[in-house]
Amino acid sequence: MDPGKAPHPHPLARRAAVFTVWYLRTVTAVNLLGAVWVSFGANIRRHNAENYFTPYLLTAGFTTGAVALFLAVTMRRRKRAAWILNLVLCGLFFAALAVSMVLPEIHRHAQNWISLALTGAFLAALLIGRREFRAKGDPANPWHAALVAAVGLVVAALIGTGLVAVTNSANGATFGDVFGYALVRLISLLPSDTAFAAIETPGWVDVAVNVMSTLLFLLVLFVAFRSPRGRELLGAADEERLRGLLGKYGERDSLGYFALRRDKSVIWSPSGKSAITYRVLGGVSLASGDPIGDPEAWPGAIDAWLAEAEAHAWVPAVMGASEEAGTVYARHGLDALELGDEAIVETADFTLDGRAMRTVRQAHNRVRRSGCTVRVRRHRDIPPAEMDALVVRADHWRDGGTERGFSMALGRLGDPADGDCVMVECHDGDGTPRALLSFVPWGPHGLSLDLMRRDRGADNGLIEFMVIELIQRADEVGVDQISLNFAMFRSVFERGSRLGAGPVLRLWHSLLTFFSRWWQIESLYRANAKFRPIWEPRYVLFGKSSELPRIGLAGARAEGFLGVPRLPTPLRRRRGV
C-alpha cells in the first residue's frame, strides 16, 4: 500500500518541534564548552552541587553533550522514538525539579526558577509538537539495541577488567574487586570510592573505561533509533508491471531498464502509471535515473516516495536524473547539482573520417589487422551453455572482487528475463575470447552499456574496437542510439586544464585527478570522449546541502566504491528469481 501524504502541520506544532531541536543543540554547545573550558564547567557543576539545579541535559560534560547532540539529530529527523525518550526523561527530570522546589531544606534562587522554566518549556514544546514526530523506526530496533547493550557491556567490562588488573598498583585486590571496579566505571562514570580501596589505577585507565562506556551508550542509541532498511525488494509482480511501463515509455530515459535491478524497492503513483525504484542505504532513500512511466504521473510517484521517506526518517536523494526529471523533482522541494554527463552516440551520425577521429581510426584498424573479430547477438539468441561460459568468463575478467554499479548497471548477466539485452563478444586471431560487452535495451531502438569486461592481457584498444564495430553494425540489432559510460564531473576535466581556468576549478581538477588513480574517474571521461558523443547532463537531487556528505557516502556504497568487507561472490545467473 502506497503511503499517503502527511497531514499539513499546524504552525504552532511546527514551531514547537523546531524549539525542541534548538534547545538540544544549545545544550550540546554549552555542555561541550563546559567540558573544554574548565572554569566555566566547574561553575555549572557547582550550581548543581549547591542546589541551584541546571536545566534538562545540562551537565558540562562530553558524554551528556554527545547524547544531547545525538538526540538533536534524531529529533530533527522527527523520529518518534527520540520524542518518546525525551518525553520520559524530561518528564522525570521536571517532576524532580518541581518536587525539590517545595522542599523546605532547599534554598531557592533565581537559577532554580530559570532551570524549572527552561525544562518546563522544553517539556511543553514536546507535547505541543507531538504530531510532528511521526518517523517510524524498525520494529526490531529495541531487541537489537538490547542485544548490543548486553554484549557490549560484557565485552567492555572484560576489557576494562584486563586494563585495571594490569595497571593496578595496590595489593590485595581479588578478581571480583577488579571486575566490580571496571563495571562501576562503565555504568556510573564515577571515580572509585571506599568500596574499592584495593584498586589504584592510572588516570588514563579510568578515562579509557569511561570512553568505552560513552561509545557503547551512543552505539545502543544509534541501534535503537536507526531508520528501517527499506521495504521488500523488487518482486516478480512489480517487475512485470515495470516491464510494461518500459515497453510504453522506455525510450524516454536511457537508464530506465536499470530500474529492474532486484536489490531495489519500488513505490507506485496512485494511478499506477508511474513508479520510482530506490534502495535504502545508511538512512538514505536513494533513487536512480528518472521515474518510470508516464511523465504526467511522475508527481504522484514522487509524492509517494517523499512521503515514505519522511515517514521513516530517510534522506531522499536521486542519482543520475535527467534535466527533465530534475525539473519535476525540483518542483517537489529538491535541489539539483550537476553530477556529470552521459555519453550518447547517434549511430547514423557516427564516422571515423576526419582529423579528429584519426587516433581512434588508427587504433581500430590496428586491432582489426591483428585478426580480432566481433560477434553481436541478443541474449535470447545465445545458447544456454554458451551463456554459462560467458558468465564465468565475465566474472574471471572482473577487476576486483566487488561488483560495481547501481544507477547504470543491471547487476546480473544471463537472466532469461533479459533476452532483449545485446552481447558483444571479441575473439583474437586464434579464436580465443578476449572481451565482452553487454547492453540493456533503451526503448525499441536504443542500447545502454551495462557490462564491460576484458582479458587483462588483451590489447588496450580492444574495447574501443568493439564499440566501433557495434556502432557500424547497429542495423543488425535495430538500434540507432547507444548510451556509453557515464562520465562524472566531465566539465571539470574538460575545462580544468584549459588556459584561463580559475584557481578553484584547477584545485577541483587536481583533486579529481588524484582520486582517479583508484576510481578511474578521468579515464572514463577520456575513453568516452574518443567517440565524439553527445553529452547529456545528469544530476543528483537532494533536500538539504547539509545532507550531501551522507548522500555521497550512500551513493559510493551503492556504486560499489565503499562497503563493508565480505567474501567475494561470483557473478552468477539468476534464474527464476
Side-chain angles (χ1 to χ4, degrees), residues 8 11 20 26 39 43 56 96 145 206 236 282 284 353 405 408 410 413 435 454 469 498 554 561 572-573:
H8 186 71
T20 61
T26 303
S39 59
N43 285 334
Y56 172 62
D206 294 337
V284 176
D353 298 333
M408 293 189 71
L410 193 58
L413 183 66
R454 177 179 68 87
E469 287 292 308
R498 288 182 179 178
F561 293 113
R572 57 174 60 93
R573 182 188 307 189

Short mmCIF file of all heavy atoms in Angstrom, two decimals, residues 8 11 20 26 39 43 56 96 145 206 236 282 284 353 405 408 410 413 435 454 469 498 554 561 572-573:
data_model
loop_
_atom_site.label_atom_id
_atom_site.label_comp_id
_atom_site.label_asym_id
_atom_site.label_seq_id
_atom_site.Cartn_x
_atom_site.Cartn_y
_atom_site.Cartn_z
N HIS A 8 -1.08 18.19 6.87
CA HIS A 8 -0.47 19.51 6.89
C HIS A 8 -0.20 19.92 8.33
O HIS A 8 -1.10 19.93 9.16
CB HIS A 8 -1.41 20.51 6.22
CG HIS A 8 -0.78 21.87 6.07
ND1 HIS A 8 0.24 22.13 5.19
CD2 HIS A 8 -1.02 23.05 6.72
CE1 HIS A 8 0.59 23.40 5.27
NE2 HIS A 8 -0.15 23.98 6.19
N PRO A 11 1.01 25.34 12.39
CA PRO A 11 2.18 26.23 12.59
C PRO A 11 2.74 26.19 14.00
O PRO A 11 3.96 26.19 14.19
CB PRO A 11 1.62 27.61 12.24
CG PRO A 11 0.47 27.34 11.32
CD PRO A 11 -0.13 26.05 11.78
N THR A 20 12.33 22.39 20.21
CA THR A 20 12.97 21.25 20.88
C THR A 20 14.34 20.94 20.28
O THR A 20 15.29 20.62 21.00
CB THR A 20 12.08 20.00 20.79
OG1 THR A 20 11.89 19.63 19.41
CG2 THR A 20 10.72 20.25 21.44
N THR A 26 21.51 23.82 21.67
CA THR A 26 22.10 24.78 22.60
C THR A 26 22.73 24.07 23.80
O THR A 26 23.84 24.40 24.23
CB THR A 26 21.04 25.79 23.08
OG1 THR A 26 20.46 26.44 21.95
CG2 THR A 26 21.65 26.82 24.01
N SER A 39 37.00 26.35 33.99
CA SER A 39 36.34 27.19 35.00
C SER A 39 34.85 27.31 34.73
O SER A 39 34.04 27.27 35.68
CB SER A 39 36.98 28.59 35.00
OG SER A 39 36.87 29.20 33.72
N ASN A 43 31.82 25.92 37.26
CA ASN A 43 30.72 26.74 37.77
C ASN A 43 29.37 26.04 37.56
O ASN A 43 28.51 26.07 38.44
CB ASN A 43 30.71 28.09 37.07
CG ASN A 43 31.81 29.01 37.57
OD1 ASN A 43 32.26 28.87 38.71
ND2 ASN A 43 32.26 29.91 36.71
N TYR A 56 17.42 20.61 31.95
CA TYR A 56 17.44 19.26 31.40
C TYR A 56 18.63 19.04 30.48
O TYR A 56 18.86 19.80 29.55
CB TYR A 56 16.12 19.02 30.65
CG TYR A 56 16.06 17.73 29.87
CD1 TYR A 56 16.14 16.50 30.51
CD2 TYR A 56 15.89 17.74 28.49
CE1 TYR A 56 16.06 15.32 29.79
CE2 TYR A 56 15.80 16.57 27.77
CZ TYR A 56 15.89 15.36 28.43
OH TYR A 56 15.81 14.19 27.70
N ALA A 96 11.18 15.92 39.24
CA ALA A 96 12.16 16.02 40.33
C ALA A 96 12.44 17.48 40.68
O ALA A 96 12.54 17.85 41.86
CB ALA A 96 13.44 15.30 39.93
N ALA A 145 18.91 -3.27 20.02
CA ALA A 145 19.59 -2.38 20.97
C ALA A 145 19.88 -3.09 22.28
O ALA A 145 20.96 -2.94 22.87
CB ALA A 145 18.74 -1.13 21.21
N ASP A 206 41.11 4.95 33.83
CA ASP A 206 39.74 5.39 34.12
C ASP A 206 39.14 6.09 32.91
O ASP A 206 37.97 5.88 32.57
CB ASP A 206 39.74 6.33 35.33
CG ASP A 206 40.15 5.62 36.61
OD1 ASP A 206 40.03 4.38 36.67
OD2 ASP A 206 40.61 6.31 37.55
N ALA A 236 8.43 -10.36 -8.41
CA ALA A 236 8.06 -10.72 -9.77
C ALA A 236 6.90 -9.87 -10.29
O ALA A 236 6.90 -9.46 -11.45
CB ALA A 236 7.71 -12.21 -9.82
N GLY A 282 22.16 3.39 4.67
CA GLY A 282 22.58 4.34 5.69
C GLY A 282 21.55 5.42 5.96
O GLY A 282 21.90 6.56 6.23
N VAL A 284 19.49 6.67 3.80
CA VAL A 284 19.25 7.47 2.60
C VAL A 284 18.40 6.64 1.63
O VAL A 284 18.77 5.52 1.28
CB VAL A 284 20.57 7.87 1.92
CG1 VAL A 284 20.31 8.62 0.62
CG2 VAL A 284 21.40 8.72 2.86
N ASP A 353 35.87 9.17 -40.17
CA ASP A 353 36.58 10.09 -41.05
C ASP A 353 36.92 11.37 -40.30
O ASP A 353 36.30 11.73 -39.31
CB ASP A 353 35.74 10.41 -42.29
CG ASP A 353 35.45 9.17 -43.12
OD1 ASP A 353 36.27 8.24 -43.06
OD2 ASP A 353 34.39 9.13 -43.80
N GLY A 405 28.34 -0.73 -9.55
CA GLY A 405 27.24 -0.21 -10.36
C GLY A 405 25.95 -0.16 -9.58
O GLY A 405 25.68 -0.99 -8.72
N MET A 408 23.73 2.73 -13.34
CA MET A 408 23.94 2.33 -14.73
C MET A 408 24.50 0.92 -14.79
O MET A 408 25.43 0.63 -15.56
CB MET A 408 24.87 3.31 -15.44
CG MET A 408 24.29 4.69 -15.64
SD MET A 408 25.31 5.74 -16.69
CE MET A 408 25.06 4.97 -18.30
N LEU A 410 23.00 -3.37 -14.31
CA LEU A 410 21.87 -4.25 -14.01
C LEU A 410 22.20 -5.20 -12.88
O LEU A 410 21.30 -5.64 -12.16
CB LEU A 410 21.48 -5.02 -15.27
CG LEU A 410 20.15 -5.76 -15.26
CD1 LEU A 410 18.99 -4.81 -14.97
CD2 LEU A 410 19.92 -6.48 -16.58
N LEU A 413 23.83 -11.12 -15.12
CA LEU A 413 24.16 -11.44 -16.50
C LEU A 413 23.59 -12.81 -16.82
O LEU A 413 23.77 -13.76 -16.06
CB LEU A 413 25.68 -11.44 -16.71
CG LEU A 413 26.16 -11.68 -18.14
CD1 LEU A 413 25.74 -10.54 -19.06
CD2 LEU A 413 27.67 -11.85 -18.18
N ALA A 435 37.25 -10.34 -24.80
CA ALA A 435 36.47 -9.27 -24.14
C ALA A 435 35.00 -9.46 -24.46
O ALA A 435 34.63 -10.16 -25.42
CB ALA A 435 36.95 -7.89 -24.60
N ARG A 454 37.21 -7.27 -19.93
CA ARG A 454 38.29 -7.53 -20.88
C ARG A 454 39.37 -8.36 -20.21
O ARG A 454 39.66 -8.20 -19.02
CB ARG A 454 38.90 -6.19 -21.34
CG ARG A 454 40.09 -6.31 -22.26
CD ARG A 454 40.58 -4.92 -22.67
NE ARG A 454 41.16 -4.17 -21.56
CZ ARG A 454 42.44 -4.24 -21.18
NH1 ARG A 454 43.27 -5.04 -21.84
NH2 ARG A 454 42.88 -3.52 -20.18
N GLU A 469 32.70 -1.36 -33.77
CA GLU A 469 32.07 -2.42 -34.54
C GLU A 469 30.57 -2.48 -34.28
O GLU A 469 29.76 -2.68 -35.20
CB GLU A 469 32.72 -3.77 -34.20
CG GLU A 469 34.11 -3.95 -34.77
CD GLU A 469 34.09 -4.07 -36.29
OE1 GLU A 469 33.33 -4.89 -36.81
OE2 GLU A 469 34.84 -3.32 -36.94
N ARG A 498 42.37 23.77 -19.12
CA ARG A 498 42.45 24.78 -20.19
C ARG A 498 43.10 26.06 -19.69
O ARG A 498 43.11 26.36 -18.49
CB ARG A 498 41.06 25.09 -20.73
CG ARG A 498 40.45 23.97 -21.57
CD ARG A 498 39.10 24.42 -22.10
NE ARG A 498 38.48 23.40 -22.93
CZ ARG A 498 37.26 23.53 -23.48
NH1 ARG A 498 36.57 24.65 -23.26
NH2 ARG A 498 36.76 22.56 -24.22
N ALA A 554 26.31 7.21 0.74
CA ALA A 554 25.33 6.20 0.30
C ALA A 554 25.51 5.88 -1.17
O ALA A 554 25.43 4.71 -1.58
CB ALA A 554 23.91 6.70 0.58
N PHE A 561 31.95 1.51 -4.55
CA PHE A 561 33.24 2.11 -4.24
C PHE A 561 33.58 1.97 -2.76
O PHE A 561 34.75 1.94 -2.38
CB PHE A 561 33.26 3.58 -4.63
CG PHE A 561 33.18 3.80 -6.12
CD1 PHE A 561 32.06 4.39 -6.68
CD2 PHE A 561 34.20 3.42 -6.95
CE1 PHE A 561 31.97 4.59 -8.04
CE2 PHE A 561 34.13 3.62 -8.32
CZ PHE A 561 33.01 4.20 -8.87
N ARG A 572 26.78 -14.50 -10.83
CA ARG A 572 26.01 -15.69 -11.17
C ARG A 572 24.71 -15.31 -11.85
O ARG A 572 24.15 -14.25 -11.64
CB ARG A 572 25.72 -16.51 -9.91
CG ARG A 572 24.97 -15.73 -8.84
CD ARG A 572 24.59 -16.63 -7.69
NE ARG A 572 25.76 -17.21 -7.09
CZ ARG A 572 26.40 -16.69 -6.06
NH1 ARG A 572 25.98 -15.54 -5.57
NH2 ARG A 572 27.45 -17.26 -5.54
N ARG A 573 24.25 -16.24 -12.64
CA ARG A 573 22.97 -16.06 -13.30
C ARG A 573 21.84 -16.24 -12.31
O ARG A 573 21.87 -17.12 -11.47
CB ARG A 573 22.84 -17.09 -14.42
CG ARG A 573 21.54 -16.96 -15.21
CD ARG A 573 21.36 -18.12 -16.16
NE ARG A 573 22.54 -18.26 -17.00
CZ ARG A 573 22.58 -19.08 -18.03
NH1 ARG A 573 21.55 -19.82 -18.33
NH2 ARG A 573 23.67 -19.17 -18.77
#
